[in-house]
Amino acid sequence: MSLSFANSIVVQGRARALVPLCVGAGAYLFYLFLGDTLLQDSDSFWQIKIGQWILDHGAMPTTDIYSFTRTGAPWISTSWLSQVLFAFSHAQWGWAGPVILTALAVALTLAIFVHLLDVQIEAPRAVLFAMLALLLSIHHVLARPHILALPVLVAWCGLLMQAADRRSAPSWTWLPVMALWANLHGGFVLGLALIGPISLEAVEHAEKGRRLRLFMRWVLFGIGALIASCCTPYGWRTLQGATNILGLGELLSLIFEWMPANFATFTSFEGALLGLIAFGYYRGLVLSAPRIFLILFLTWSALTHVRSIEAFAFLVPLVLAKPLGEMFPRRAPDAIGADRWPARYVTALGALMIVAASWTSTSLYMGHHRFTFTMTQTPVAAVDLLEKLGVKRIFNAYQFGGYLISRDIPVFVDGRAELYGEKFVMDFFKATEGKKPELLPRLLDEYRIDATLLVADAPGPQILDQLKGWKRIYADDIAVIHVRDPANSATEAPSK
């Protein structure tokens, strides 16, 4: 290899190091300028409230303290570290704090993603995959813990796939990544589940004489990862808490992010699936059995639950990276101009310029823009009236629970569905959505409700308008309030 050719490889290698930084910076600025779109899920309110409680008390919650229907019931926070980070940033900079934190997490995710792909495929293709992954997951990019854990998800699975591509076992030094993930978000169970099929990919292509030893090393690593996932303030209970949500049965079909994918209208996810199938047929893509299983598992997860589409978007390209790299080999580097600048200086200068530009853009934008939460999740005027009336027990809409918690008002229900259980929340939805209206007066009486706070365009308020013993006292475009009517206290179910 000539000296100029070798220098060219070094320069291009250094230049490629800037590509992940540029992609990350672009994603950060994109979500900074669209920051209000990150604030449209009321779960952000109670996540911040719990994080602030942890900071104030220097302890971890073990029972519910925010509802009047489950007060004192066992409950642990499987996202405590993310909640603390959100609470601290919110206390320092208002809603700008969670927005910046979320945008940084997305930026770091894409930077890690492109860096991992760049090992196998050319930078332009890696960037294209990054843009497609961002498009597929854009509906679920919110100021919530799962986004802070997203870069850890990509890093963990990318490192495992790289070990499998090398036909070796993962390094024990990666176990702290699992421990970090387990403290950030309950989705770490996916990382544990993927160890098995990825290990089979490594073992299948290893030399026959070392397969058993390699398999045992993966088994030991899996055990180590399981132990690392319990390195949280809750210990082994973290595993139980992270899997409780999967036992909610029918209820999962009513919560948007846990619903199955809907192909009634064409979506980017549908396009990605069709494109993947078409590419496989057109190019004759041949994959090993473990890689096929991984893609099928990730596809099934995304079809079953909308929230799993982001895992599909980021992990499927990592699974395909090596086969695609073999199908499309890198072009030979151009030696012209290889020795103009020392590569490390160019890389360092470029990185500093990217960071400086991002910081300057943040400062300038925050100087004239105030981030605000979406109004449909914040019934401010209605809650002000309820506080003025001094009501104690409010039958609230599911999506208003987070906001009420932020106002220190005990809730009937909120986004912690695993706390309330399948039957309780299903009865609530059936009563307020008109599927079983006869349940509504029973719930109101059973829990001695003083007032209701329901979504304006939902069936619940119309049912209450016909229910004896209740009267409407307030309504706007967001919420409707009903209170008990002392002049007509007889309660009966409306006709079906």
Side-chain angles (χ1 to χ4, degrees):
M1 182 183 294
S2 67
L3 181 61
S4 62
F5 186 77
N7 286 341
S8 177
I9 293 176
V10 172
V11 169
Q12 291 199 5
R14 297 286 185 178
R16 286 207 311 269
L18 288 177
V19 175
L21 287 173
C22 291
V23 173
Y28 169 76
L29 294 175
F30 175 77
Y31 276 108
L32 177 69
F33 293 128
L34 296 178
D36 292 330
T37 64
L38 306 179
L39 305 174
Q40 51 183 332
D41 191 315
S42 64
D43 281 1
S44 298
F45 285 106
W46 65 259
Q47 302 279 6
I48 290 172
K49 193 69 175 181
I50 291 171
Q52 191 60 53
W53 187 94
I54 295 172
L55 289 172
D56 293 341
H57 293 81
M60 305 299 296
T62 56
T63 59
D64 173 51
I65 58 174
Y66 296 108
S67 76
F68 62 85
T69 52
R70 288 292 186 272
T71 303
W75 181 80
I76 63 174
S77 174
T78 55
S79 303
W80 75 271
L81 183 55
S82 295
Q83 291 161 350
V84 166
L85 293 173
F86 276 129
F88 179 80
S89 64
H90 184 265
Q92 298 297 317
W93 303 289
W95 284 114
V99 166
I100 292 174
L101 201 59
T102 304
L104 283 172
V106 175
L108 184 59
T109 299
L110 291 182
I112 294 173
F113 181 67
V114 172
H115 174 73
L116 291 169
L117 288 180
D118 191 49
V119 174
Q120 300 288 352
I121 64 179
E122 291 187 332
R125 292 192 176 97
V127 174
L128 176 61
F129 275 121
M131 297 300 100
L132 290 174
L134 189 61
L135 176 63
L136 287 176
S137 57
I138 198 168
H139 70 285
H140 204 217
V141 178
L142 302 162
R144 285 176 44 195
H146 69 279
I147 293 298
L148 299 192
L150 191 57
V152 185
L153 160 69
V154 172
W156 174 262
C157 297
L159 290 172
L160 293 186
M161 285 305 307
Q162 285 188 350
D165 293 340
R166 296 192 303 268
R167 304 170 190 177
S168 62
S171 170
W172 291 93
T173 59
W174 300 348
L175 293 180
V177 177
M178 174 54 68
L180 174 62
W181 191 357
N183 285 278
L184 285 171
H185 187 254
F188 70 90
V189 293
L190 173 62
L192 294 175
L194 291 177
I195 294 176
I198 295 177
S199 70
L200 295 179
E201 171 66 18
V203 172
E204 179 180 326
H205 294 90
E207 297 175 1
K208 290 185 178 180
R210 58 185 295 265
R211 286 180 179 175
L212 180 59
R213 184 176 63 179
L214 179 60
F215 177 72
M216 292 308 300
R217 289 178 63 189
W218 274 90
V219 170
L220 291 174
F221 179 82
I223 295 172
L226 183 64
I227 295 172
S229 71
C230 296
C231 293
T232 74
Y234 296 107
W236 67 269
R237 287 187 296 168
T238 302
L239 284 169
Q240 181 183 9
T243 55
N244 280 345
I245 189 71
L246 299 178
L248 293 178
E250 183 185 2
L251 176 57
L252 294 180
S253 65
L254 297 181
I255 302 174
F256 172 75
E257 62 183 345
W258 289 101
M259 289 180 179
N262 183 2
F263 292 148
T265 58
F266 188 81
T267 64
S268 57
F269 175 53
E270 185 177 356
L273 281 179
L274 295 175
L276 182 63
I277 295 171
F279 180 81
Y281 278 117
Y282 180 71
R283 300 296 303 192
L285 184 62
V286 178
L287 303 176
S288 63
R291 290 184 194 268
I292 292 173
F293 174 82
L294 284 167
I295 292 176
L296 291 178
F297 170 73
L298 293 168
T299 303
W300 170 80
S301 299
L303 290 171
T304 306
H305 304 302
V306 171
R307 66 173 297 155
S308 297
I309 291 178
E310 65 204 40
F312 170 90
F314 284 101
L315 300 189
V316 166
L318 294 177
V319 174
L320 293 176
K322 188 173 187 293
L324 289 177
E326 295 171 346
M327 182 178 290
F328 303 104
R330 291 184 184 277
R331 291 171 295 180
D334 184 6
I336 298 176
D339 55 353
R340 290 183 179 179
W341 287 90
R344 61 180 179 273
Y345 296 150
V346 174
T347 303
L349 180 60
L352 287 174
M353 291 177 65
I354 291 171
V355 172
S358 300
W359 175 262
T360 302
S361 300
T362 302
S363 300
L364 292 174
Y365 190 61
M366 288 179 60
H368 64 83
H369 182 80
R370 182 185 178 191
F371 296 102
T372 56
F373 214 91
T374 178
M375 291 300 296
T376 58
Q377 302 283 345
T378 54
V380 180
V383 175
D384 287 343
L385 176 59
L386 289 170
E387 284 190 325
K388 186 180 297 184
L389 294 174
V391 296
K392 300 298 183 184
R393 302 169 77 85
I394 302 172
F395 184 86
N396 61 276
Y398 188 83
Q399 57 265 52
F400 293 159
Y403 178 70
L404 289 176
I405 288 176
S406 73
R407 297 277 296 259
D408 295 316
I409 298 174
V411 298
F412 182 88
V413 69
D414 62 84
R416 298 170 297 161
E418 73 281 5
L419 167 66
Y420 300 96
E422 178 185 3
K423 184 181 185 306
F424 179 90
V425 185
M426 283 300 301
D427 285 348
F428 169 82
F429 277 122
K430 289 176 181 178
T432 56
E433 296 298 323
K435 295 180 179 179
K436 286 190 176 181
E438 67 274 12
L439 287 175
L440 185 55
R442 180 173 68 79
L443 291 175
L444 297 176
D445 290 340
E446 180 180 349
Y447 291 97
R448 305 189 307 278
I449 301 300
D450 300 317
T452 66
L453 177 68
L454 299 176
V455 178
D457 58 357
Q462 283 69 44
I463 297 173
L464 281 164
D465 286 339
Q466 304 173 39
L467 197 62
K468 291 183 178 180
W470 292 86
K471 67 176 180 179
R472 180 185 295 221
I473 64 167
Y474 178 84
D476 58 24
D477 294 337
I478 301 172
V480 177
I481 296 176
H482 286 78
V483 297
R484 288 191 182 273
D485 185 1
N488 188 359
S489 59
T491 303
E492 63 181 37
S495 57
K496 295 182 181 180

